[in-house]
Amino acid sequence: MKLTQAQLDHFNEEGWILLENCFSPEEVAVLNAEGEKIYAEDREEVWRETSGAPRTAFAAHTYNEAFRRLGRHPRLIEPVMQLLDGQVYMHQYKVNAKAAFDGEVWQWHQDYGTWARDDAMPAPRAMNIAVFLDAVTAANGPLIFIPRSHKQGVFEAGHDLETTSYPLWTLDRASVTRLAEAGGLVAPTGPAGSVLMFHCNLVHASPPNISPFGRTIVYLSLCHVDNHIRQFKRAEWIAHRDFTPIACLPDDCLAELTAAAE
Amino acid sequence: MKLTQAQLDHFNEEGWILLENCFSPEEVAVLNAEGEKIYAEDREEVWRETSGAPRTAFAAHTYNEAFRRLGRHPRLIEPVMQLLDGQVYMHQYKVNAKAAFDGEVWQWHQDYGTWARDDAMPAPRAMNIAVFLDAVTAANGPLIFIPRSHKQGVFEAGHDLETTSYPLWTLDRASVTRLAEAGGLVAPTGPAGSVLMFHCNLVHASPPNISPFGRTIVYLSLCHVDNHIRQFKRAEWIAHRDFTPIACLPDDCLAELTAAAE
């Protein structure tokens, strides 16, 4: 699994790239079934919306076999090693539910803003992968990016502790407006099994999910091993401290579980 | 301006139809400029979000020349006369702002549910036209329809007086889920100047606008003259009582104002 030069150029210029149908419906079904089990558990890694609906499950790769395999999948890790030019480790791993009706907003932010401020990650030599476990559409709270906003470093941000149950360093409205007037807005949508890669300084947000269907996305945040975090203020299951380079599993590592489930 | 048989069939089967680029950028610019003026006015027809941002301006066709002309525009009225099979009057007229950052949700509802309950409109022989004054995208709170949900009459609804500043008869979650499992969801998007026509019983909603750009849509609710409302509980500027058939103006009625503004 290698990205083409055109894909690399798009990522570097726009800050993101969408790969449709990276995973088969069967592979997605395994992950969805395991995600449901995790959300039903009462554990500290599972955060809930104000309503009680699941919002995010942290570090699922450390306590669930299917998500462990996804976190070492060559279709995800190899392109990231290409983009970050070297070996990578898992900085953060989230299964975000965006529950039907109750899934709340994520305000405008840069992920690296949080990693720099909270975790003392030295440089934005890190990135995100979003694996769609449901179709992402205009109707169910898609990610909204401001293209090219990743090229200007870390913006000023305020620590938003009120909007939702999850604390987030968010940009002010004037900055968001200025950036969007320059770069526009894009909401990459696609079928379940698609993969969206984006730069850790790309400014993004997502609206609430008012639809009657859940919209689960797995987020892998990967960091070059040389660029590991220096400060351990947040829980280990939020900002990981195992900087071992990820060794990929075979391409059929998830398909194997499909077969086992049949 | 006549709809084709394929367009009529799509409307009858799916409950909606999108006509892209019905109005030119110049015509749209006139309406946007007039809309800004209206929102700046302190009048009872202009409702605001909890934040103070404009949410909707009622009856703009009765106090603004550009919106008066839009309300008698042949590109809108002629297709509706075709769909409703006869002469029509203006039941309601709204300019909805969905302001940048602050534009709030419209929960799942049927418009005819309100017209039947509040205004005693005899039958669903009425419909809506949405004229996009901005591009409507996945990023700025598009309308979300449940296709084919207009074929089952009026559903039970509760009077939601809490979610936003505007009271609305809304469907319960179980009904929305059941209908969407059958019909799916669709969020018709398109450039400014596009026109979206939809049946008054089509179940729809729209998410908040978290983007830094406003998203104004004009809603004309048109009713067959024989089907006029029988109960006058709501203000005249919300549910109109002038049942005179609309006489269309010439096709260049808005373009004239463009020329005048230059």
Side-chain angles (χ1 to χ4, degrees), chain B residues 245-258:
Chain B
I246 296 173
C248 288
L249 296 172
D251 191 77
D252 64 352
C253 61
L254 275 174
E256 261 182 19
L257 295 182
T258 312

Side-chain angles (χ1 to χ4, degrees), chain A residues 237-257:
Chain A
W237 43 269
I238 293 184
H240 305 309
R241 297 168 202 171
D242 177 356
F243 310 134
T244 314
I246 296 174
C248 289
L249 296 172
D251 191 77
D252 65 351
C253 61
L254 275 173
E256 261 182 18
L257 295 182

Side-chain angles (χ1 to χ4, degrees), chain B residues 8 35 115 124 146 175 213 236 262:
Chain B
L8 294 169
W115 305 341
I146 302 181
S175 303
F213 303 127
E236 201 286 331
E262 275 162 5

Side-chain angles (χ1 to χ4, degrees), chain B residues 116-177:
Chain B
R117 290 177 182 97
D118 288 354
D119 308 323
M121 184 185 286
R125 200 173 178 187
M127 56 175 283
N128 286 312
I129 300 179
V131 182
F132 297 178
L133 298 193
D134 294 295
V136 173
T137 71
N140 64 9
L143 278 166
I144 308 174
F145 294 149
I146 302 181
R148 301 189 285 289
S149 59
H150 64 301
K151 292 181 166 182
Q152 301 178 47
V154 177
F155 298 104
E156 291 277 310
H159 210 190
D160 178 0
L161 304 169
E162 288 174 16
T163 304
T164 71
S165 60
Y166 188 77
L168 198 66
W169 289 95
T170 57
L171 273 70
D172 63 51
R173 291 181 169 193
S175 303
V176 172
T177 305

